Amino acid sequence: MQYIVNAQEMKECDARTIEYYGVPSLVLMERAALACAEELLQGSYDLSRVTIVCGMGNNGGDGLALARLLYQKQISVQIILTGDQVKASEQTKRQLSIVQNYQIPFSQADLSAGTEWKRALEQSTLLVDALFGVGLSREITGIYAELIHMMNKCSAPVFALDIPSGIEAGSGQVLGCAVQALTTVTFAFCKSGLVLYPGADYAGTVIVRDIGITKESFEEQTPYLYTCSTKEIKNWLPRRPAYSNKGTFGKTVLVCGCKGMAGAAYLSAMSAYRAGCGLVRLITPEDNREILQTLLPEAVLTTYSPEAVANSDQDELNQLSKALQWGTVIGIGSGLGTSQAAKQLLELAVTSTNVPIVLDGDGLNILAVKKELFQTLAKRPSAITPHLAEMSRLTGRPIKEIQQNLVETAADFTKKHGVCCVLKDARTVVTSPLMNEADDALYGPGHAYLNLTGNHGMAAGGSGDILTGMICGLAAQGMDLAQAAIAGVHLHGCAGDSAAAAAGARSMTARDILDHISTVLKGV
């Protein structure tokens, strides 16, 4: 598990390292500079003319220390300072005194100054951004904005220290303007603003370097956000005994695919099988029978008449209730539509069963107008998998607001309704109230999982249907629903990455993701 921190969490951790453990701030600054120097010297950067742009906070101090280290390696380095030196942090004042003793050339940038600092930027082969660190919380204006705009216009690539200047460390939002970096070396822990969008687009390649700040400095409260490696996720998967049969690996019921949407049913069902589920039953309109029996003969099929269900035909409802109770997990909503029959089916699935349930697509659109069902969902393991528009309908909040507050939106929804929330975007967030106390530190209440796998090729119709099937397939095998949601999201992204590596992301379809689930799970 890797922690992902916001500005406040990093500030508290840094302060405790200094104040409680007694590691001097200048030592941490020196280690940060050494880490960056190592990356630059070992990388493929053109260090012919390096210009380091420094502010007056500790991020600027890191840049000044880096300038000295590069200078001592006989690298041509120029410093551009901006801000009031009187207001500089004590550590930055110390570093500035040192570079002055070494007579490293520097110039002061301000709106009324000459063009020396502008020429330094234009003639550089590499720019180092040490203007603002993770503590920035205000919109950038004036000379700072001018510097950032000029840095972005230069042909030289930018190497950012800790975070690109202008990116809010927690949300990844741009505070007026921001440096476009090729590489960002961040210290101790990854910052959420580096992996959430749009910050991720500005950070370039993110490298996390140890500088002596460790998890012990979090005291009793570990960071809220975390991610996991693929190896860790695979270790969560249930062991598959040699002495087994199809019932050993669980039974998934999927209620999906209205007339004309048999493809959604196929993708969900096949992905549940690919995830390792032993048996999958599809509940779908009679119109889809021939298509699905042709596409997926492995599935058990229960069909219904939408008209009969809409009219509350008791025989039809009894048959469907029995089919729903067959499963060890239920998934509902992919391509289901929002007809009266679909509403009846959702209510039946929620009220007549108590196994784990995953709601997707139209199941969420119906839930948005039948919010009373949340009271029943909260009494059992339940998960919702909304994309931004579906979350907007569920919460009444604008899509842009949700987009800018992904983690908070998912966490608030989980807290309010008591369900696992898989909020889907380019970075998917999973929050859950469902884990037991022993597992809280890993994937339970008080923590949120941020997924870093996947790519833009997955932004295609049917991708969400596959995710629902994978989550259900994993839960059917005995995984806790919240754990299955995290594993499903992660492995779904891995399958997308495998598909993109094989044929390119631009022309990917959902079936490419489906085909690569087996590649990802091979050998597990």
Side-chain angles (χ1 to χ4, degrees):
M1 179 172 67
Q2 298 85 49
Y3 293 122
I4 301 175
V5 302
N6 60 30
Q8 185 60 34
E9 289 168 336
M10 191 65 238
K11 182 179 178 181
E12 291 172 359
C13 191
D14 186 71
R16 184 165 170 79
T17 301
I18 295 167
E19 297 166 9
Y20 182 82
Y21 289 106
V23 181
S25 179
L26 276 172
V27 170
L28 297 177
M29 185 173 283
E30 194 71 13
R31 291 194 62 174
L34 281 166
C36 292
E38 287 177 3
E39 292 294 338
L40 286 173
L41 294 169
Q42 294 170 7
S44 56
Y45 305 95
D46 184 350
L47 304 181
S48 302
R49 292 179 63 87
V50 178
T51 298
I52 303 179
V53 182
C54 300
M56 292 296 109
N58 280 351
N59 192 249
D62 295 338
L64 292 167
L66 174 61
R68 168 174 42 85
L69 295 173
L70 295 179
Y71 177 83
Q72 290 172 333
K73 293 290 184 180
Q74 284 73 55
I75 291 171
S76 174
V77 61
Q78 164 88 28
I79 300 167
I80 295 177
L81 294 173
T82 190
D84 187 349
Q85 294 183 28
V86 175
K87 297 179 180 178
S89 70
E90 291 304 313
Q91 293 79 14
T92 298
K93 287 178 180 177
R94 179 72 65 87
Q95 294 291 356
L96 181 56
S97 175
I98 294 170
V99 299
Q100 287 173 332
N101 290 338
Y102 277 95
Q103 298 184 350
I104 300 172
F106 70 89
S107 56
Q108 183 77 29
D110 60 59
L111 293 175
S112 61
T115 59
E116 181 183 350
W117 60 276
K118 295 180 182 179
R119 285 197 303 271
L121 289 175
E122 292 167 350
Q123 295 171 3
S124 299
T125 59
L126 180 74
L127 301 176
V128 176
D129 168 30
L131 196 55
F132 293 108
V134 298
L136 182 69
S137 58
R138 67 184 186 279
E139 188 166 299
I140 292 177
T141 57
I143 183 60
Y144 303 108
E146 178 74 9
L147 263 170
I148 288 173
H149 289 312
M150 283 206 65
M151 290 172 73
N152 288 341
K153 288 179 182 178
C154 289
S155 59
V158 178
F159 184 94
L161 306 193
D162 214 12
I163 194 166
S165 294
I167 297 298
E168 202 281 316
S171 68
Q173 296 304 303
V174 177
L175 297 173
C177 59
V179 168
Q180 182 68 63
L182 175 69
T183 305
T184 299
V185 173
T186 196
F187 309 130
F189 304 100
C190 187
K191 316 307 183 290
S192 52
L194 295 173
V195 289
L196 291 171
Y197 288 92
D201 278 335
Y202 287 81
T205 300
V206 177
I207 300 168
V208 181
R209 288 294 300 257
D210 173 30
I211 62 168
I213 300 173
T214 62
K215 63 182 181 180
E216 284 76 19
S217 292
F218 288 127
E219 299 181 322
E220 296 177 1
Q221 184 61 48
T222 54
Y224 182 69
L225 201 59
Y226 72 95
T227 192
C228 292
S229 69
T230 301
K231 182 179 179 180
E232 288 172 313
I233 293 292
K234 288 182 176 180
N235 285 337
W236 292 3
L237 302 182
R239 187 180 67 87
R240 293 177 68 87
Y243 185 65
S244 58
N245 57 62
K246 59 191 177 186
T248 305
F249 304 118
K251 296 182 287 186
T252 295
V253 175
L254 293 169
V255 186
C256 47
C258 64
K259 182 179 179 180
M261 295 293 287
Y266 164 73
L267 291 171
S268 289
M270 192 61 187
S271 60
Y273 272 128
R274 293 286 194 201
C277 182
L279 285 166
V280 178
R281 179 186 292 269
L282 276 169
I283 297 179
T284 194
E286 176 64 27
D287 293 285
N288 291 335
R289 177 186 292 277
E290 186 175 346
I291 298 170
L292 291 171
Q293 285 184 329
T294 302
L295 286 174
L296 193 63
E298 298 92 337
V300 180
L301 210 59
T302 297
T303 63
Y304 63 90
S305 163
E307 293 77 15
V309 173
N311 292 322
S312 301
D313 181 278
Q314 201 57 51
D315 289 339
E316 194 86 336
L317 293 177
N318 288 341
Q319 174 204 354
L320 293 173
S321 180
K322 185 177 180 180
L324 286 164
Q325 291 169 17
W326 174 87
T328 50
V329 63
I330 296 169
I332 182 168
S334 298
L336 185 64
T338 56
S339 65
Q340 181 59 34
K343 294 173 183 175
Q344 289 272 71
L345 281 168
L346 179 64
E347 190 158 356
L348 187 67
V350 171
T351 59
S352 69
T353 64
N354 57 10
V355 297
I357 187 169
V358 180
L359 284 76
D360 180 36
D362 287 321
L364 300 174
N365 293 329
I366 296 169
L367 191 62
V369 296
K370 293 180 74 69
K371 291 192 171 111
E372 66 275 8
L373 292 177
F374 274 118
Q375 296 178 9
T376 306
L377 288 171
K379 298 175 183 177
R380 66 198 292 183
S382 304
I384 61 168
T385 62
H387 55 55
L388 296 179
E390 290 162 348
M391 196 63 171
S392 179
R393 288 189 281 271
L394 285 166
T395 62
R397 298 173 66 181
I399 289 176
K400 186 175 181 180
E401 181 182 319
I402 296 170
Q403 204 167 26
Q404 293 175 349
N405 299 277
L406 279 178
V407 179
E408 295 83 356
T409 301
D412 290 347
F413 200 89
T414 287
K415 184 177 181 181
K416 180 177 180 180
H417 295 291
V419 299
C420 175
C421 181
V422 180
L423 182 50
K424 299 182 294 191
D425 196 22
R427 295 287 189 234
T428 293
V429 178
V430 183
T431 56
S432 177
L434 305 179
M435 305 310 297
N436 59 54
E437 187 174 343
D439 290 330
D440 280 357
L442 186 56
Y443 41 70
H447 295 81
Y449 170 80
L450 182 65
N451 188 58
L452 302 183
T453 64
N455 59 79
H456 62 84
M458 301 177 73
S463 179
D465 304 327
I466 291 173
L467 175 60
T468 297
M470 290 184 71
I471 294 172
C472 290
L474 293 170
Q477 296 171 69
M479 294 183 75
D480 183 282
L481 185 58
Q483 190 182 36
I486 294 169
V489 166
H490 185 101
L491 297 171
H492 179 253
C494 288
D497 289 337
S498 178
R506 183 176 293 273
S507 59
M508 275 172 58
T509 67
R511 280 181 295 175
D512 294 314
I513 303 169
L514 185 63
D515 292 342
H516 281 264
I517 296 172
S518 299
T519 305
V520 170
L521 294 179
K522 185 178 180 180
V524 179

